[in-house]
């Protein structure tokens, strides 16, 4: 029963005739919720009594028929009041991007209480319409199942689509029209930056590998898809994702060997935030420099080495300089290829 309604009462009075019918809440002494005054005594028939708005939930009503002599006949009725339209929860959330799966679901909830009539899925489905670029969009299929409406798109053109619907329940309670916007993205992400560059030589043995993209990526898929090898052996290391710069960084767990041939492979299973995978694997290679180095911080007093201070960039013989290659905060002695 809806909150404001009309109650039909059937009366039968062989005597003076019914002149009024009223509806009270709870019992004979309860508040008057509705009343119908008849223009002339009625000996039998139906009387329509408009009832005021009621709170949602179960309610006990007493119907009182009053005849011209003031005699009263009563009847009781238990009703359930449902005055709220169903709520709608879209999944994925409104504003999301539809990518690999061109589908979404609208979940309708009519409260879950025992007196609730339940969502009218077919009536709600009949109100579903869509617009793309200010024009009607009909390239979608929608089906109703218990508690939900499933929608799938029949085409893959990129761009925004606005879906509109008006939720209804079985009693005709109707909510305001909702607009739910989705953005379709079926384009594969692309690599726009590599460091070190493909085919590079003389790369620092303490290099950090970086890969840039043309759109935001799913960081978990990047970590799972990245492979780094040096002379064919897997290189362990740490992976980080800079969302603002759209940059994947890989820092090897150790300094790479001189002249090592490094290959970086990012499998096509890496996806963007819409779930679109890359069109193909991304592979590039580079070679580590010929310099060798030795971390002498724990072995010698740097200030006493050839009279120097051990500062980064200081010259110490043929091809020898200090530089913090390991990132541990201590200068490392870099020797030329003719040093041991």
């Amino acid at each position: 029963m809806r909150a404001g309604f009309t109650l039909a009462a059937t009366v039968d009075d062989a005597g003076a005739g019914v002149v009024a019918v009223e509806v009270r809440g709870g019992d004979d002494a309860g508040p008057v919720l509705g009343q119908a005054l008849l223009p002339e005594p009625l000996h039998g028939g139906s009387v329509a009594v408009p009832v005021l708005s009621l709170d949602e939930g179960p309610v006990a009503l007493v119907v009182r028929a009053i005849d011209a002599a003031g005699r009263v006949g009563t009847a009781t009725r238990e009703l359930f009041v449902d005055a709220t339209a169903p709520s709608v929860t879209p999944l994925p959330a409104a504003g999301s991007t539809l990518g690999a799966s061109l589908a979404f679901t609208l979940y309708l909830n009519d409260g879950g209480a025992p007196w609730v009539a339940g969502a009218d899925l077919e009536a709600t489905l009949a109100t579903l319409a869509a617009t793309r670029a200010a024009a009607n969009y009909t390239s979608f299929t929608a089906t109703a199942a218990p508690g939900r409406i499933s929608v799938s798109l029949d085409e893959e053109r990129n761009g925004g689509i606005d879906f509109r619907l008006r939720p209804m329940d079985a009693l005709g309670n109707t909510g305001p029209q909702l607009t739910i916007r989705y953005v379709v993205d079926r384009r594969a992400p692309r690599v726009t930056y590599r460091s070190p560059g493909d085919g590079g030589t003389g790369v620092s043995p303490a290099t950090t590998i970086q890969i840039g993209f043309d759109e935001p990526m799913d960081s978990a898929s990047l970590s799972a898809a990245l492979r780094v090898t040096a002379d064919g052996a897997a290189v362990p290391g740490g992976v980080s994702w800079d969302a603002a710069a759209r940059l994947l960084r890989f820092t090897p767990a150790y300094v790479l060997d001189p002249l090592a041939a490094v290959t970086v492979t990012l499998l096509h299973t890496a996806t963007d935030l819409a779930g679109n995978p890359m069109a193909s694997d991304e592979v590039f290679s580079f070679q580590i420099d010929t310099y060798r180095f030795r971390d002498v911080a724990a072995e010698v007093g740097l200030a006493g080495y050839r009279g120097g201070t051990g500062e980064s960039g200081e010259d110490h013989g043929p091809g020898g300089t200090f530089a913090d290659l390991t990132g541990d905060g201590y200068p490392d002695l870099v020797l030329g290829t003719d040093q041991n």
Side-chain angles (χ1 to χ4, degrees), residues 30 60 71 74 78 91-92 98 101 127 133 136 156 167 177 195 197 212 215 217 237 260 267 276 305 325:
R71 293 183 293 266
T74 63
E78 297 284 338
L91 189 69
L98 303 180
S101 174
T127 71
N136 287 337
E156 299 183 359
Q177 179 172 277
S195 177
E215 63 174 306
M217 298 291 289
L267 301 178
N276 297 309
Y305 181 75
L325 296 180

Side-chain angles (χ1 to χ4, degrees), residues 13 18 20-22 24 28 62-75:
D13 184 7
V18 175
V21 178
E22 65 181 19
R24 291 178 178 264
D28 279 350
V62 176
V63 182
R64 305 174 78 243
I66 306 167
D67 68 9
R71 293 183 293 266
V72 178
T74 63

Side-chain angles (χ1 to χ4, degrees), residues 80 112-116:
F80 296 102
W115 62 84
V116 170

Side-chain angles (χ1 to χ4, degrees), residues 89-112:
T89 302
L91 189 69
S96 298
T97 299
L98 303 180
S101 174
L102 291 174
F104 62 92
T105 303
L106 303 172
Y107 290 93
L108 276 71
N109 182 0
D110 201 32

Side-chain angles (χ1 to χ4, degrees), residues 291 302-323 331-336 338-339:
Y291 288 117
L302 296 181
Y305 181 75
R306 297 192 61 163
T309 62
E311 295 179 354
S312 293
E314 183 177 333
D315 186 12
H316 285 272
T321 60
F322 277 111
D332 304 307
L333 180 59
V334 180
L335 303 176
D338 59 341
Q339 301 292 314

Side-chain angles (χ1 to χ4, degrees), residues 135-271:
N136 287 337
Y137 175 78
T138 59
S139 297
F140 66 91
T141 302
T143 57
R148 68 183 185 274
I149 295 174
S150 300
V151 182
S152 59
L153 278 60
D154 302 330
E155 65 169 349
E156 299 183 359
R157 272 194 305 141
N158 291 343
I161 305 176
D162 294 315
F163 288 88
R164 303 179 306 279
L165 82 160
R166 192 179 296 274
M168 300 181 188
D169 68 11
L171 289 175
N173 293 311
T174 303
Q177 179 172 277
L178 304 176
T179 299
I180 302 169
R181 182 175 180 81
Y182 288 108
V183 176
V184 176
D185 174 12
R186 293 286 288 173
R187 187 179 63 81
R190 293 175 295 180
V191 171
T192 58
Y193 174 75
R194 306 162 194 81
S195 177
D198 188 27
T201 58
V203 175
S204 168
T207 188
T208 294
I209 297 168
Q210 301 183 95
I211 305 175
F213 298 86
D214 67 339
E215 63 174 306
M217 298 291 289
D218 177 77
S219 58
S221 72
L222 290 174
S223 297
L226 185 63
R227 307 285 188 272
V228 179
T229 62
D231 292 333
V235 177
V239 179
S240 64
W241 169 247
D242 185 337
R246 301 199 296 266
L247 200 63
L248 172 67
R249 293 188 176 94
F250 176 82
T251 303
Y254 50 78
V255 176
L256 300 174
D257 292 336
L259 293 178
V262 179
T263 299
V264 180
T265 302
L266 186 66
L267 301 178
H268 70 277
T269 52
T271 64

Side-chain angles (χ1 to χ4, degrees), residues 31-147:
V32 176
L33 303 177
Q35 186 180 62
L37 300 178
L38 305 181
E40 58 185 36
L42 179 66
H43 295 283
S46 180
V47 178
V49 184
V51 179
L52 299 175
S53 180
L54 302 175
D55 292 335
E56 291 203 33
V59 60
L61 300 179
V62 176
V63 182
R64 305 174 78 243
I66 306 167
D67 68 9
R71 293 183 293 266
V72 178
T74 63
T76 60
R77 182 75 180 273
E78 297 284 338
L79 299 177
F80 296 102
V81 178
D82 173 14
T84 303
S87 63
V88 178
T89 302
L91 189 69
S96 298
T97 299
L98 303 180
S101 174
L102 291 174
F104 62 92
T105 303
L106 303 172
Y107 290 93
L108 276 71
N109 182 0
D110 201 32
W115 62 84
V116 170
D120 189 333
L121 291 167
E122 294 299 333
T124 302
L125 180 58
T127 71
L128 184 64
T131 303
R132 179 199 282 271
N136 287 337
Y137 175 78
T138 59
S139 297
F140 66 91
T141 302
T143 57

